[in-house]
Amino acid sequence: AAAARRERGSLFGSDIGLERDRQMSAAATFAPPLASWIKPRLDLASTFTFVRDPNARSLLRPRDTTFVDSIAVLPRRFGNTQTATVAAQLDVQSMVRVFWQRMRLLRAVSDAVTPIDLSVSRSLISAFDDETFSPSLGYQLALGGPTSFRSLRGRPATTAGQTNTMSAGSSLVLPFGFVFLPRYGLTTTRSWYRRTDNQQDAIDGLQRDYPDLTLRWSFVAGQSGLSAIVGKAVRSVAASAGARNTRVTALTPQLGGAGDLRVSRIRVYPINATITWPFGDLSTTGGFSWSVRDDSLPGSATHGFTNERSADVGRSWKLPSSWNARSPLRTRLGWQEQRTKNALAGTARNLTDNGRRVFSLSADTDLNETMSFSIQGSRTGTIDRNYNRRFDQTVITAALQLQFFSGPGH
């Protein structure tokens, strides 16, 4: 209580009490209109949080009496973030029309390319725990570089980090409703954590998403021609297939050694399709995803896979006219199944072998303008084949929502 009283603040001679927490945020965007074919953008953002707990069980004595008195003070916890992003949208169609207008072949190719999005960003973050001083205004505004985030007043941060991200993406419009979407992503990280009062250790990480490819196809029935004939059986179709390769590395320091290097490689192959039928507002969706993961750890290597399958059917049903319902009964039946298996590379020894299966059913309708009813049911089964365990859970939820409004009488 005595420490809390000493730290009460004043404004223009008036006691304003003890400041327990403070939050600050700032953002700025600069997007100059340079040309019709390029749209650059600069985004800057920062946040700051400060917490001082008057109910802390213990007090702290300043380690350096240069800035504050040697008397005990309340512990402080604060942190900040800084984000800077440089991005640009490159319109290939407009660029070709400006510089190569007479080249018909190049114009035809550029018309199929959507604007290319490029971005490079840097994020800094830091956190200080159990400190005896309050940060400066420059720290609160997240000014400076990585050095100012790692330490403050000679005190290393409890945790700090720097993340650099570079990404690029576009799409290529192909005939017959196909769209090809290539992407590229690169992320590097460096994290510092305080080991002792005067020492910080760093962990370096890198993640590269390449190749990251997706092929989409869509079809919507028309009003004439062959499309109208097909529309009698199928109203619309949307399908996609992709392949993504991700490589993740992390280097952890080790006392007296070069450190531990961990490398992970993940390949994901998803396939999804949705079909809308012309009768009963019926729609069906199915999906399949296969992912393979290889991890190289200090002293061992593992190989695993994850298999995911899903399907659901949705349809609307007309309710009896005597019910005076405002909308039909919308129902959906879904099924999901997942299996994850991980084993030591080159052996048949399984480290994990888990599975999950979910069946769900939902229905809802609008009874009138102010009342709606919904019911949901699901059964989830979780399987651990290594230990021969199974857990089933059934959940049924029914809800009646009523909305009403009141206002001045007339």
Side-chain angles (χ1 to χ4, degrees):
R5 283 195 298 268
R6 284 195 300 266
E7 298 193 33
R8 295 175 70 92
S10 61
L11 181 64
F12 303 118
S14 300
D15 186 3
I16 59 175
L18 175 69
E19 181 187 23
R20 299 188 57 173
D21 60 81
R22 183 192 313 165
Q23 297 183 6
M24 297 174 56
S25 62
T29 299
F30 180 60
L34 296 182
S36 61
W37 54 273
I38 184 171
K39 299 177 181 179
R41 188 182 76 254
L42 173 63
D43 295 328
L44 301 174
S46 66
T47 62
F48 169 76
T49 59
F50 174 86
V51 177
R52 178 168 44 189
D53 186 8
N55 299 317
R57 294 192 174 188
S58 60
L59 302 178
L60 299 178
R61 290 192 176 274
R63 301 174 179 87
D64 187 355
T65 59
T66 303
F67 301 96
V68 294
D69 297 332
S70 60
I71 58 178
V73 297
L74 297 175
R76 293 157 168 80
R77 183 174 67 252
F78 50 86
N80 64 354
T81 63
Q82 178 199 92
T83 303
T85 302
V86 178
Q89 188 178 74
L90 183 63
D91 193 339
V92 180
Q93 300 179 12
S94 299
M95 183 176 62
V96 170
R97 288 186 175 91
V98 172
F99 297 101
W100 302 284
Q101 185 175 5
R102 296 183 179 181
M103 301 181 66
R104 297 183 178 179
L105 179 60
L106 191 58
R107 287 185 57 184
V109 174
S110 64
D111 289 342
V113 181
T114 62
I116 302 174
D117 294 322
L118 306 172
S119 68
V120 178
S121 66
R122 187 192 73 172
S123 299
L124 300 174
I125 186 173
S126 69
F128 290 80
D129 293 333
D130 290 336
E131 297 295 342
T132 59
F133 60 89
S134 298
S136 62
L137 181 61
Y139 181 87
Q140 297 180 41
L141 297 177
L143 302 178
T147 303
S148 62
F149 279 69
R150 289 184 57 187
S151 63
L152 190 62
R153 292 186 177 180
R155 283 283 297 166
T158 306
T159 58
Q162 176 180 350
T163 302
N164 299 319
T165 304
M166 180 176 62
S167 63
S170 181
S171 61
L172 182 64
V173 181
L174 303 175
F176 307 107
F178 287 93
V179 178
F180 180 66
L181 297 93
R183 297 185 184 89
Y184 174 81
L186 177 64
T187 302
T188 60
T189 61
R190 169 163 283 193
S191 302
W192 295 275
Y193 63 93
R194 186 170 61 196
R195 180 185 291 271
T196 63
D197 287 343
N198 300 313
Q199 180 183 358
Q200 282 181 332
D201 288 338
I203 300 177
D204 293 325
L206 183 145
Q207 177 176 327
R208 179 183 287 109
D209 296 318
Y210 178 80
D212 186 356
L213 308 174
T214 303
L215 181 64
R216 295 177 181 174
W217 176 69
S218 60
F219 167 79
V220 179
Q223 301 294 331
S224 61
L226 181 62
S227 179
I229 298 176
V230 177
K232 296 181 179 180
V234 177
R235 181 179 298 173
S236 65
V237 179
S240 65
R244 183 174 67 253
N245 179 71
T246 301
R247 179 181 174 87
V248 181
T249 61
L251 180 61
T252 304
Q254 187 177 14
L255 294 177
D260 294 336
L261 179 63
R262 299 170 180 260
V263 181
S264 301
R265 186 186 176 192
I266 308 169
R267 287 90 69 196
V268 183
Y269 309 97
I271 300 175
N272 299 280
T274 301
I275 302 176
T276 303
W277 308 92
F279 43 89
D281 196 18
L282 178 66
S283 64
T284 56
T285 302
F288 175 80
S289 178
W290 174 266
S291 62
V292 182
R293 181 178 183 126
D294 294 310
D295 294 308
S296 177
L297 308 175
S300 65
T302 62
H303 173 80
F305 71 88
T306 300
N307 183 358
E308 299 181 11
R309 295 171 290 177
S310 63
D312 66 77
V313 180
R315 189 187 179 190
S316 299
W317 304 85
K318 186 177 181 180
L319 297 174
S321 57
S322 59
W323 291 18
N324 295 324
R326 189 183 180 187
S327 67
L329 180 66
R330 299 175 291 266
T331 60
R332 182 165 295 275
L333 175 64
W335 164 77
Q336 297 177 0
E337 186 171 323
Q338 180 186 40
R339 182 178 182 183
T340 301
K341 189 175 181 180
N342 196 18
L344 291 175
T347 66
R349 182 181 177 182
N350 293 333
L351 299 178
T352 59
D353 190 356
N354 302 327
R356 185 172 180 267
R357 183 181 293 118
V358 180
F359 291 96
S360 61
L361 175 64
S362 63
D364 65 275
T365 184
D366 298 329
L367 301 178
N368 51 46
E369 295 181 355
T370 61
M371 188 180 301
S372 62
F373 175 77
S374 63
I375 183 170
Q376 298 178 355
S378 65
R379 181 176 177 84
T380 304
T382 305
I383 304 172
D384 188 344
R385 294 179 175 85
N386 272 3
Y387 296 95
N388 193 24
R389 295 183 301 190
R390 180 184 177 93
F391 177 74
D392 293 327
Q393 183 180 19
T394 302
V395 178
I396 299 177
T397 304
L400 179 65
Q401 297 181 355
L402 177 64
Q403 299 179 354
F404 60 91
F405 305 92
S406 63
H410 297 283

Coordinates of all heavy atoms in Angstrom, one line a residue, residues 96 100-112:
V96 N 1.6 -3.1 -70.2 CA 1.8 -3.4 -71.6 C 1.1 -2.4 -72.5 O 1.6 -2.0 -73.5 CB 1.2 -4.9 -71.8 CG1 1.2 -5.2 -73.3 CG2 2.1 -5.9 -71.1
W100 N 4.0 -1.2 -74.5 CA 4.1 -2.1 -75.7 C 2.7 -2.2 -76.3 O 2.2 -3.3 -76.5 CB 4.6 -3.4 -75.3 CG 6.0 -3.4 -74.7 CD1 7.2 -3.2 -75.3 CD2 6.3 -3.5 -73.3 NE1 8.2 -3.2 -74.4 CE2 7.7 -3.4 -73.2 CE3 5.6 -3.7 -72.1 CZ2 8.4 -3.5 -72.0 CZ3 6.2 -3.8 -70.9 CH2 7.6 -3.7 -70.8
Q101 N 2.1 -1.1 -76.6 CA 0.7 -1.1 -77.1 C 0.6 -1.8 -78.5 O -0.4 -2.4 -78.8 CB 0.2 0.3 -77.2 CG -1.3 0.4 -77.5 CD -1.8 1.8 -77.5 OE1 -1.0 2.8 -77.2 NE2 -3.1 2.0 -77.7
R102 N 1.6 -1.7 -79.3 CA 1.5 -2.2 -80.7 C 1.8 -3.7 -80.8 O 1.6 -4.3 -81.8 CB 2.5 -1.4 -81.6 CG 2.1 0.1 -81.7 CD 3.1 0.7 -82.7 NE 2.7 2.2 -82.8 CZ 3.4 3.0 -83.6 NH1 4.4 2.6 -84.3 NH2 3.0 4.3 -83.6
M103 N 2.3 -4.3 -79.7 CA 2.6 -5.7 -79.8 C 1.4 -6.5 -79.4 O 1.1 -6.7 -78.2 CB 3.8 -6.0 -78.8 CG 5.1 -5.2 -79.2 SD 6.5 -5.6 -78.1 CE 6.8 -7.3 -78.5
R104 N 0.7 -7.0 -80.3 CA -0.6 -7.7 -80.1 C -0.4 -9.0 -79.3 O -1.2 -9.3 -78.4 CB -1.3 -8.0 -81.4 CG -1.6 -6.7 -82.2 CD -2.4 -7.1 -83.5 NE -2.8 -5.9 -84.2 CZ -3.4 -5.9 -85.4 NH1 -3.8 -7.0 -85.9 NH2 -3.8 -4.7 -86.0
L105 N 0.6 -9.7 -79.6 CA 0.8 -11.0 -78.9 C 1.1 -10.8 -77.5 O 0.5 -11.5 -76.6 CB 2.0 -11.8 -79.6 CG 2.3 -13.1 -78.9 CD1 1.2 -14.1 -79.0 CD2 3.6 -13.8 -79.6
L106 N 1.9 -9.8 -77.2 CA 2.2 -9.5 -75.8 C 1.0 -9.0 -75.0 O 0.7 -9.2 -73.9 CB 3.3 -8.4 -75.7 CG 3.9 -8.2 -74.3 CD1 4.5 -9.5 -73.7 CD2 5.0 -7.1 -74.4
R107 N 0.1 -8.2 -75.8 CA -1.1 -7.7 -75.1 C -2.1 -8.9 -74.8 O -2.7 -8.9 -73.8 CB -1.8 -6.7 -76.1 CG -1.1 -5.4 -76.1 CD -1.9 -4.4 -77.0 NE -3.3 -4.3 -76.5 CZ -4.2 -3.5 -77.0 NH1 -4.0 -2.9 -78.2 NH2 -5.4 -3.4 -76.5
A108 N -2.1 -9.8 -75.7 CA -3.0 -11.0 -75.5 C -2.6 -11.8 -74.3 O -3.4 -12.3 -73.5 CB -3.0 -11.9 -76.8
V109 N -1.2 -11.9 -74.1 CA -0.7 -12.7 -73.0 C -1.0 -11.9 -71.7 O -1.4 -12.5 -70.7 CB 0.8 -13.0 -73.2 CG1 1.3 -13.7 -71.9 CG2 0.9 -13.9 -74.4
S110 N -0.7 -10.6 -71.7 CA -0.9 -9.8 -70.5 C -2.3 -9.7 -70.0 O -2.6 -9.5 -68.9 CB -0.3 -8.4 -70.7 OG -1.1 -7.7 -71.7
D111 N -3.3 -9.8 -71.0 CA -4.7 -9.8 -70.6 C -5.1 -10.9 -69.7 O -6.1 -10.9 -69.0 CB -5.6 -9.7 -71.8 CG -5.5 -8.4 -72.6 OD1 -5.0 -7.4 -71.9 OD2 -5.9 -8.4 -73.8
A112 N -4.3 -12.0 -69.7 CA -4.6 -13.2 -68.9 C -4.0 -13.1 -67.5 O -4.3 -14.0 -66.7 CB -4.2 -14.5 -69.6

